[in-house]
Amino acid sequence: MKIGILGGTFDPIHNAHVYMAKQALKSLSLNRVYLMPAFCPPHKNADKITGEHHRIHMIELAIEGISGIGCSDFEIRNRLSYTADTLTALKETYPEDEFYFIVGGDSISSFESWYHPEVILEKASIAVIRRLDESNQKLDETISHIRSKFHDIITRNHHSITILQTEISPISSSDIRRSPLEMSRDKISPKVYQYILENHLYSDHDKNMAWSVGKIKDDLKEVLNAHRYEHTIAVAETAKNMAETYGINPNTAYLAGLIHDCAKHYTNDELVKICMENHIPVSDYEKKAPYLLHSKVGAYIAEKKYQIEDSDILNAVIWHTTGKPDMTTLEQIVFCADYIEPGRDKQPNLSYLREISHRDLNLLTYHILKDTLNYLRSRKQIIDINTEKAYEFYKKKVGEE
Ligand code: DGI
Ligand code: FE
Ligand code: FE
């Protein structure tokens, strides 16, 4: 069998990878091409590379249904970092197969400095994929130099170095990681896009976050009771779905939802004490209804403990209980998601509210404020000025009299 091996970090896999694999499969009449994610490339910092199972899963999603292309965990499974070692092991395991190592034109330029290039050429042929933007002359020179330097090994093993010209424009995984995911939508398969979103890979916040989403979840699970933790996850999910509808970053909304009640486990006395000690101003309303303070204290913890800096997220936590006039989309989403998440069942009108939740955010905000005020009035509770003002604002906004 003629087998192509396309190695790489695949962090994440993008359309050019798949295209390269397809191109090699066809042009070289290979039986199969394997995308083989790297175990731990020697030139990269392993900490910064996305987990193996995520990278493998993304490859599987990207090649689903494409015949002749597979994903191989050979390097990961055997903890192989160097192409020379990988090809040696492959040749030992599958002595009957003929291997073609597929590389991009940019990487072949450093071929001679690779770990034992002579071993690579002893075990496999090389297919160099040349992108349209790459200079022909330089690549031709590099390749003829390699051909003559390793001439004996190549001919002795009946190997070859072939150039395959592609039409695909360059895509770089690091650009995908660095820029907002939305910008890379057309560079990766829709299933991979979805997977990245769902697993919070490469999200704006995760990148610079001392606390990853997973770590925050673990912490919340410890401090909050089970019921509150479930609520927290449900609000995060609801906020994320709404963010998709209303065109803001779903990962940001998820994170804001996740942490909105992170101070909910404190007693009223503790909340007041935390405010006093940390010079967090307490309004007259909050003095009379100190549980309102779990919002402000939550934002304080999010900033100090979870090291979240995004002020839109912190404000969404601050205003999640009372609301306020003219909220940002994220503030509105967290405020509303808190009220309508699927675990809620006590509030009136929930089915109507859920029904409009993906249609009209202002109307939803208005109805929630109206119902909250009714509830608080019926129980003769003190009403925060912000709740009152927010209600007036959104009432006007939706044109209700
Ligand atoms: O923390 P959660 O229970 O998930 O939800 P939340 O932060 O929205 O708090 C809900 C409670 O806050 C609910 O009983 C209504 C109450 N609330 C909202 N606005 C006001 C208010 N309570 C008072 N006293 N004054 C308000 O303006
Ligand atoms: Fe709350
Ligand atoms: Fe809540």
Side-chain angles (χ1 to χ4, degrees):
M1 292 246 277
K2 287 168 77 174
I3 306 290
I5 302 291
L6 177 56
T9 314
F10 298 106
D11 193 14
I13 183 167
H14 53 62
N15 294 342
H17 291 131
V18 180
Y19 187 91
M20 276 168 78
K22 280 184 177 167
Q23 171 101 355
L25 185 76
K26 209 171 92 196
S27 311
L28 299 168
S29 312
L30 304 176
N31 296 90
R32 217 168 159 69
V33 171
Y34 286 106
L35 306 190
M36 192 179 280
F39 161 58
C40 172
H43 58 287
K44 289 192 183 173
N45 175 356
D47 286 354
K48 298 218 171 82
I49 297 172
T50 305
E52 292 161 356
H53 69 284
H54 283 314
R55 288 186 287 128
I56 290 176
H57 205 107
M58 288 190 282
I59 295 176
E60 284 168 347
L61 290 171
I63 62 173
E64 211 170 68
I66 304 178
S67 63
I69 299 182
C71 173
S72 165
D73 65 352
F74 192 85
E75 282 198 343
I76 286 175
R77 188 159 29 95
N78 297 298
R79 316 189 135 252
L80 295 163
S81 300
Y82 296 105
T83 303
D85 292 344
T86 305
L87 293 170
T88 304
L90 276 171
K91 207 61 196 166
E92 262 168 37
T93 321
Y94 310 100
E96 303 299 312
D97 287 342
E98 232 182 285
F99 290 100
Y100 289 77
F101 189 71
I102 305 160
V103 286
D106 46 348
S107 11
I108 198 73
S109 59
S110 62
F111 182 74
E112 281 180 76
S113 64
W114 289 16
Y115 181 75
H116 290 301
E118 74 289 353
V119 175
I120 297 175
L121 287 166
E122 185 195 317
K123 307 291 176 190
S125 288
I126 292 191
V128 183
I129 308 269
R130 176 177 27 218
R131 295 189 313 237
L132 276 187
D133 63 318
E134 273 164 345
S135 130
N136 288 356
Q137 206 199 337
K138 187 136 187 307
L139 190 64
D140 287 343
E141 278 169 18
T142 309
I143 289 174
S144 44
H145 177 75
I146 298 172
R147 277 194 189 122
S148 61
K149 183 167 176 184
F150 299 98
H151 179 264
D152 290 350
I153 302 172
I154 296 173
T155 40
R156 201 184 320 128
N157 294 285
H158 308 287
H159 287 155
S160 60
I161 303 180
T162 331
I163 301 181
L164 307 177
Q165 183 85 38
T166 70
E167 272 134 49
I168 196 156
S169 49
I171 301 177
S172 106
S173 290
S174 55
D175 285 352
I176 297 175
R177 290 197 300 273
R178 243 177 264 130
S179 42
L181 187 59
E182 190 50 45
M183 282 173 56
S184 308
R185 210 168 182 151
D186 56 342
K187 298 181 183 138
I188 53 183
S189 99
K191 283 181 192 157
V192 173
Y193 182 85
Q194 198 56 37
Y195 184 87
I196 292 174
L197 277 185
E198 278 164 14
N199 292 278
H200 310 285
L201 307 177
Y202 321 117
S203 69
D204 293 345
H205 304 289
D206 263 21
K207 253 189 322 223
N208 310 310
M209 262 165 63
W211 286 67
S212 66
V213 169
K215 199 169 151 197
I216 293 176
K217 275 190 190 172
D218 290 345
D219 191 67
L220 289 171
K221 201 167 189 168
E222 239 164 68
V223 299
L224 301 176
N225 68 38
H227 175 75
R228 182 58 51 181
Y229 179 73
E230 257 170 52
H231 162 71
T232 279
I233 299 290
V235 172
E237 293 287 350
T238 307
K240 186 179 121 181
N241 290 337
M242 291 173 72
E244 270 165 15
T245 300
Y246 296 109
I248 64 166
N249 187 323
N251 294 323
T252 308
Y254 186 93
L255 181 60
L258 186 70
I259 59 168
H260 84 283
D261 271 342
C262 70
K264 194 73 180 184
H265 56 299
Y266 293 117
T267 63
N268 285 348
D269 287 351
E270 285 171 332
L271 288 170
V272 174
K273 189 163 168 251
I274 294 171
C275 289
M276 295 301 169
E277 283 173 2
N278 298 290
H279 314 287
I280 301 169
V282 177
S283 71
D284 289 341
Y285 300 97
E286 289 163 339
K287 275 182 194 143
K288 290 175 193 149
Y291 62 87
L292 291 173
L293 286 170
H294 78 274
S295 314
K296 277 184 182 172
V297 173
Y300 178 79
I301 291 172
E303 192 180 359
K304 296 291 179 238
K305 184 179 187 183
Y306 301 143
Q307 296 177 42
I308 290 167
E309 289 164 358
D310 185 332
S311 58
D312 200 20
I313 295 183
L314 297 176
N315 283 328
V317 176
I318 290 180
W319 300 109
H320 89 263
T321 305
T322 61
K324 67 161 183 169
D326 206 9
M327 290 185 267
T328 64
T329 304
L330 182 69
E331 288 166 349
Q332 269 183 285
I333 285 178
V334 173
F335 175 80
C336 295
D338 190 18
Y339 197 88
I340 63 164
E341 59 95 349
R344 299 282 201 200
D345 55 8
K346 306 232 165 26
Q347 294 92 326
N349 306 325
L350 275 174
S351 57
Y352 169 69
L353 297 175
R354 286 172 183 144
E355 188 195 307
I356 62 168
S357 67
H358 287 276
R359 216 168 55 219
D360 190 335
L361 189 56
N362 289 331
L363 189 66
L364 178 67
T365 308
Y366 161 74
H367 278 290
I368 292 174
L369 286 161
K370 187 169 137 195
D371 291 352
T372 301
L373 286 175
N374 282 339
Y375 169 82
L376 294 169
R377 285 196 182 109
S378 74
R379 307 200 38 171
K380 308 241 178 320
Q381 298 225 29
I382 174 129
I383 289 166
D384 191 286
I385 183 76
N386 292 299
T387 313
E388 203 103 58
K389 280 188 181 165
Y391 170 70
E392 292 304 331
F393 180 91
Y394 286 98
K395 179 172 161 182
K396 209 163 169 191
K397 189 118 187 158
V398 302
E400 282 273 329
E401 278 318 311

